[in-house]
Amino acid sequence: YTMITPEISEIRDMPVGAFISTVVPQSPASKAGLKRGDIITKVNDTALDEKNSLSSMISKAKVGDKITLTVDREGKELILTAVIEAAPESFK
């Protein structure tokens, strides 16, 4: 993902958040319904910004926790739920 800063948000007329560039098949993101081009704007009601990145918010959760994602998809707001899974051995 790439963080959309307030500056980029203003220039590109996009919401501030995490722009999803790739979704790995069978990943928690894929299972939650995220798609390439989605912008995650909140995790559990906390807005994503320079102080709260997507990775920092996810790192606070434990394996098995459910997190709520507020997503902008082509201008429409969606609420998705993801379940935190352990990282595969190949990622450790």
Side-chain angles (χ1 to χ4, degrees):
Y1 71 92
T2 302
M3 284 301 294
I4 299 170
T5 63
E7 295 79 19
I8 294 171
S9 171
E10 190 172 316
I11 293 168
R12 296 273 178 103
D13 193 28
M14 302 167 84
V16 173
F19 178 84
I20 305 303
S21 54
T22 303
V23 178
V24 176
Q26 299 305 309
S27 67
S30 172
K31 292 173 186 175
L34 281 171
K35 296 183 179 182
R36 184 177 189 274
D38 285 349
I39 301 169
I40 301 173
T41 57
K42 293 181 186 175
V43 174
N44 294 337
D45 294 325
T46 300
L48 297 183
D49 55 26
E50 296 87 21
K51 295 177 185 173
N52 297 304
S53 70
L54 180 58
S55 58
S56 71
M57 296 299 296
I58 291 173
S59 70
K60 295 176 184 176
K62 297 180 184 91
V63 172
D65 284 354
K66 289 183 181 180
I67 59 172
T68 301
L69 307 172
T70 303
V71 176
D72 179 285
R73 181 177 291 161
E74 298 177 1
K76 295 179 181 161
E77 186 176 275
L78 303 173
I79 305 296
L80 303 176
T81 302
V83 178
I84 302 299
E85 295 179 7
E89 287 299 318
S90 60
F91 281 67
K92 292 181 182 178

